[in-house]
Amino acid sequence: MKSLIASFLVLASVSAQAAFTIGAYNIRNFDYDTRSRVPTNKNELAKMIKSLNVDVLSVEEIGNTDRFEDFVDKQFPTYSTDLSRCGGAHGQHVGFMYNTKTVELIGFEEDLRVTNPGNRQECHGGSRPLAIGLFKIKATGQKFFGITAHLKSGSNPESMSKRFKQYEIIRTVVQEMQARTGVKDYFIAGDLNTTEYLSRGGDYRALNKIVSDLGAKNLTANLACSAYWWGGTDDGIEDPSLLDHIIASPGLLKTNPQVKNHGHCQKVSCRSASLENLGISYNQVSDHCPLTATIQ
């Protein structure tokens, strides 16, 4: 009996170590949001990220890259960062923070084709670039690449048209990366700004088509929300939306993915809520909530 219990504990320990989690977090204009004139509450942000226990986190809207890298160095000694050099018209950089104990970053690059689809690529204009990281899981040796994206915002026809072109570019980037590196597995994560996803509108159809074309799975398709906004009415009540996603190739999914939203989205269960009820993570960190998917 003692031998059986010991074997069970060993297997449980191996299983726990094998868990691998990816995430996405739009950290509103880190580390100072000029629109709301609110500095990022770094203590709350650190508490939030630590609670996620992620191996690789896609991050967006990093305004001050030096301060973000310093923040990660001080708060997360086993983590490292790699961020895009370009940040689009609003200087919002994208990239990754990752746990160097569990994952190795083999290569990093950025792709500017999404900044201004079909026209001149821009570093300091248009939309944010794609950040692309090639990783290896240290425990298993499995290689995969991650793409962090922060696509065009807005629900007007021009914005949506640009976003649909950006979806197509992402599909091309995935196929090119697979052909160039020989690595087939990947994830795509970030603020895709799918303003019509919950209403099953254009974003829902266009994104689902790209995911289907790639033979991938949108792990966050059934989440009730990932962000909050003022809802178009000055009634003091903020409304939920699903703007952020984590998409993964089947080969990266070793178990049934455990997918969650966190922060104020989890706190109010994606119901419409007041600023007071949404609390500090909404008012002093980001209108978006971090998402995680435990995939192995």
Side-chain angles (χ1 to χ4, degrees):
M1 179 62 72
K2 288 182 179 179
S3 177
L4 182 62
I5 293 173
S7 297
F8 176 78
L9 290 174
V10 169
L11 288 172
S13 175
V14 170
S15 176
Q17 291 174 4
F20 193 84
T21 300
I22 56 179
Y25 199 3
N26 177 325
I27 307 168
R28 183 182 55 207
N29 289 309
F30 181 96
D31 66 331
Y32 183 80
D33 182 38
T34 56
R35 294 171 300 179
S36 59
R37 299 179 182 178
V38 174
T40 303
N41 185 320
K42 295 186 180 69
N43 289 333
E44 180 68 16
L45 176 60
K47 179 181 175 182
M48 178 73 70
I49 294 177
K50 287 174 183 176
S51 73
L52 306 179
N53 196 29
V54 289
D55 295 281
V56 181
L57 180 67
S58 287
V59 293
E60 307 94 55
E61 283 200 25
I62 307 302
N64 192 317
T65 57
D66 289 340
R67 289 181 183 172
F68 185 74
E69 290 168 355
D70 183 62
F71 164 78
V72 173
D73 287 344
K74 290 179 178 178
Q75 295 287 345
F76 302 89
T78 68
Y79 282 73
S80 188
T81 59
D82 227 316
L83 302 171
S84 65
R85 179 180 60 87
C86 300
H90 301 290
Q92 298 171 326
H93 303 266
V94 297
F96 306 94
M97 62 175 288
Y98 56 95
N99 189 344
T100 59
K101 283 190 172 182
T102 61
V103 68
E104 176 185 352
L105 179 66
I106 301 172
F108 178 86
E109 59 190 88
E110 52 193 289
D111 195 305
L112 299 182
R113 280 176 284 182
V114 294
T115 63
N116 200 13
N119 295 292
R120 183 172 62 88
Q121 299 172 8
E122 299 183 75
C123 182
H124 305 297
S127 299
R128 286 72 40 170
L130 300 177
I132 307 168
L134 181 60
F135 297 93
K136 181 173 72 173
I137 301 174
K138 290 185 174 181
T140 63
Q142 182 180 12
K143 293 181 180 179
F144 65 94
F145 59 92
I147 298 175
T148 299
H150 186 180
L151 304 185
K152 173 64 178 175
S153 63
S155 57
N156 60 69
E158 294 79 11
S159 295
M160 292 186 68
S161 176
K162 180 175 182 178
R163 201 156 56 239
F164 297 165
K165 293 174 183 176
Q166 290 175 319
Y167 295 156
E168 294 172 358
I169 291 170
I170 290 175
R171 176 179 57 196
T172 298
V173 168
V174 168
Q175 294 168 340
E176 289 177 352
M177 281 292 294
Q178 289 175 322
R180 177 159 58 91
T181 66
V183 175
K184 301 304 179 184
D185 293 320
Y186 62 90
F187 74 85
I188 304 160
D191 181 3
L192 305 189
N193 269 310
T194 49
T195 55
E196 292 189 351
Y197 199 88
L198 290 179
S199 64
R200 299 298 191 262
D203 275 306
Y204 178 83
R205 295 188 296 271
L207 181 58
N208 280 354
K209 182 180 185 307
I210 297 302
V211 172
S212 177
D213 288 348
L214 288 171
K217 182 175 182 179
N218 186 349
L219 307 183
T220 47
N222 295 321
L223 288 182
C225 73
S226 70
Y228 273 77
W229 68 303
W230 68 297
T233 56
D234 290 314
D235 57 0
I237 301 297
E238 311 292 281
D239 292 332
S241 61
L242 182 57
L243 303 180
D244 310 82
H245 297 269
I246 301 173
I247 296 161
S249 63
L252 204 56
L253 309 176
K254 306 302 184 186
T255 61
N256 186 33
Q258 303 299 307
V259 184
K260 299 178 181 179
N261 55 24
H262 302 262
H264 44 276
C265 294
Q266 184 182 68
K267 178 183 178 182
V268 301
S269 301
C270 289
R271 296 186 298 265
S272 295
S274 67
L275 291 173
E276 181 180 3
N277 286 338
L278 288 169
I280 191 171
S281 71
Y282 180 73
N283 293 302
Q284 297 183 28
V285 180
S286 182
D287 45 337
H288 292 253
C289 305
L291 307 179
T292 58
T294 299
I295 58 174
Q296 296 191 16

